[in-house]
Amino acid sequence: MRGDTRQEEIRRRHLGAVLRQVHLAGAISRAELANRLGLNRSTILALATQLTAAGLVREEASGATGRVGRPSLVVRPESGRWYVLAFDVAVDRVVAARVGLGGVVLERREAPRRRSRRADLDEVVGVLVGFGRALVDAAPRNARCLGVGTSYCGLVRAADGRVLLAPNMGWTDLDFGPALSDRLGLGLPVAVGNEAHLGARAEHERGAGIGHQNLIYLHGDVGVGGGIIVGGRLLGGDDGYGAELGHMIVNPFGGRSCNCGSHGCLEAEVGEAALLEASGRTGGPGGRDGVRAVLEAAADGDEAARKALERVGDWLGIGVVNLINLFNPGVVVFGGTLGDIYQGAAPQVRARVAASVLPVSRGVELRTAMLRYDASLVGAAELAFSRVLADPLDALAATAR
């Protein structure tokens, strides 16, 4: 019996591995699956056949021409039949999407969120529930929701989706995940993750970090967050609060005050408030529009905007140098508003890297996020797909109950 149990565990693990490759690739040949997973072709055939019977994938001719004999078959995800709900709760907006297996965004909704220091849990949950139900209602009758994933801009306890702290929005010790799950009423748990952690995961699997096993992702919104991939895995810490890179101290003597209560944090020196204040634009619009306005003014020769961008870029470079020397990543990815800031301040950041990074780590690549502002939303979808990718048949059985 123990041998049978072990074989069943191996089979289920292999099914998940095959489905993950199809999910990430969108379409992949059996031969390539065998090559990537180190399995023989007969095993791949058996696994693909089982996934096809479950309705998760389909096999079809690749359409390749020029070869003698039968065209090779490719395995594709059944994106229209299986989907997840993905939510992204940022400081000033709420985004929802129905995302099909394979990472295809089938439909999305977006609404503004008021900036406030009061806890708006009920309001946010209400908007998400409305979006979620509308997306489910719009799905085809034969489509099934496999899970719900949510990105939130704060410290999130991974085990239960509780938001411990969101200093820029006034949330403290709120049961966000359970509240959203109860009100959605889909009978599915809601997985919640930190926006920068999920952005790191998304860029690693689907964006600028593909092919890199060690990655640092820096995300800018009002504040600054971070995610670190080490050996292909997200560095989460004991309870999921790891990689709060925005609260790394870079300017301990005379640094700007931070919402976390400290001084000289990376967030305080390079975040939205620092850029707008240094450029003399504190009375204007904030958010993405405010950051872009500074960048456009600097490009047009505005001296205050140019100096503000140089200052922020210099502090960003100092933070990046520390991270590179500590983790030796293959790539550093700048996302959210930091992606825009990096594009304008790249000379300052690169100068710091050239001057202070250890010679053995100077081959690191500096990139902007390929997924742009959708990195956290894509990461939330991947979080929701985690269960079915780990054990496809068990996940399907659970959703059928």
Side-chain angles (χ1 to χ4, degrees):
M1 288 296 293
R2 291 179 61 184
D4 291 343
T5 301
R6 175 63 176 163
Q7 288 300 313
E8 177 64 13
E9 290 175 355
I10 292 173
R11 184 183 64 84
R12 286 178 175 269
R13 187 167 65 247
H14 285 166
L15 279 171
V18 169
L19 186 59
R20 173 174 289 279
Q21 290 296 325
V22 175
H23 173 65
L24 293 176
I28 186 170
S29 70
R30 289 181 191 167
E32 182 59 22
L33 282 169
N35 181 56
R36 291 189 185 186
L37 298 175
L39 300 173
N40 61 53
R41 295 196 180 192
S42 62
T43 299
I44 292 295
L45 170 60
L47 295 169
T49 299
Q50 190 165 6
L51 291 172
T52 300
L56 289 163
V57 304
R58 68 181 184 274
E59 294 187 280
E60 58 188 32
S62 66
T65 59
R67 288 188 177 184
V68 177
R70 297 174 60 189
S72 61
L73 292 178
V74 296
V75 186
R76 296 182 184 275
E78 287 284 11
S79 302
R81 183 174 176 184
W82 307 98
Y83 69 91
V84 298
L85 295 180
F87 300 131
D88 180 23
V89 182
V91 171
D92 54 9
R93 78 203 70 88
V94 177
V95 186
R98 183 166 58 90
V99 182
L101 188 65
V104 181
V105 177
L106 302 169
E107 187 178 356
R108 64 182 289 156
R109 309 285 176 93
E110 184 169 341
R113 181 190 183 193
R114 292 180 299 165
R115 291 194 180 192
S116 173
R117 288 301 183 89
R118 68 174 183 83
D120 57 347
L121 175 67
D122 288 341
E123 185 176 336
V124 167
V125 170
V127 172
L128 293 179
V129 168
F131 281 164
R133 289 177 178 169
L135 290 169
V136 170
D137 289 344
R141 285 190 174 184
N142 67 339
R144 188 188 299 177
C145 184
L146 293 169
V148 183
T150 306
S151 163
Y152 191 82
C153 52
L155 289 171
V156 176
R157 188 163 64 194
D160 57 8
R162 187 176 181 83
V163 176
L164 273 294
L165 179 66
N168 291 309
M169 295 305 297
W171 283 31
T172 304
D173 287 331
L174 294 178
D175 283 326
F176 176 45
L180 181 55
S181 179
D182 288 345
R183 289 180 58 181
L184 266 176
L186 297 177
L188 295 169
V190 174
V192 185
N194 169 268
E195 63 175 349
H197 287 193
L198 296 180
R201 178 175 178 176
E203 287 294 331
H204 173 242
E205 295 180 344
R206 295 189 177 276
I210 291 176
H212 291 277
Q213 291 299 295
N214 298 284
L215 169 151
I216 290 173
Y217 175 75
L218 283 164
H219 181 87
D221 200 347
V222 171
V224 173
I228 300 175
I229 303 291
V230 177
R233 294 180 177 274
L234 181 70
L235 183 65
D238 274 1
D239 298 306
Y241 312 137
E244 278 295 318
L245 306 184
H247 298 290
M248 172 178 57
I249 304 297
V250 294
N251 185 13
F253 305 110
R256 290 169 49 86
S257 61
C258 182
N259 285 326
C260 74
S262 188
H263 289 79
C265 295
L266 182 65
E267 174 177 308
E269 303 296 345
V270 309
E272 175 192 308
L275 181 66
L276 296 180
E277 182 179 307
S279 64
R281 294 169 180 265
T282 53
R288 300 173 186 175
D289 291 340
V291 170
R292 287 170 181 162
V294 175
L295 294 171
E296 289 170 3
D300 290 340
D302 183 290
E303 187 67 9
R306 184 184 63 79
K307 287 185 177 180
L309 192 57
E310 288 178 354
R311 180 191 183 280
V312 166
D314 198 41
W315 285 117
L316 180 58
I318 290 172
V320 169
V321 164
N322 289 333
L323 293 169
I324 293 172
N325 283 338
L326 185 60
F327 290 101
N328 183 218
V331 61
V332 177
V333 180
F334 301 92
T337 54
L338 273 187
D340 297 324
I341 289 172
Y342 173 71
Q343 288 182 319
Q348 285 73 36
V349 177
R350 291 187 177 278
R352 282 288 185 181
V353 169
S356 302
V357 163
L358 294 170
V360 293
S361 295
R362 287 180 187 165
V364 63
E365 298 181 43
L366 305 180
R367 299 179 178 176
T368 54
M370 186 180 297
L371 299 171
R372 302 281 300 158
Y373 287 100
D374 274 348
S376 297
L377 182 70
V378 172
E382 294 305 316
L383 184 63
F385 277 120
S386 294
R387 184 174 61 163
V388 72
L389 297 181
D391 192 337
L393 300 186
D394 183 67
L396 293 189
T399 59
R401 288 196 288 266

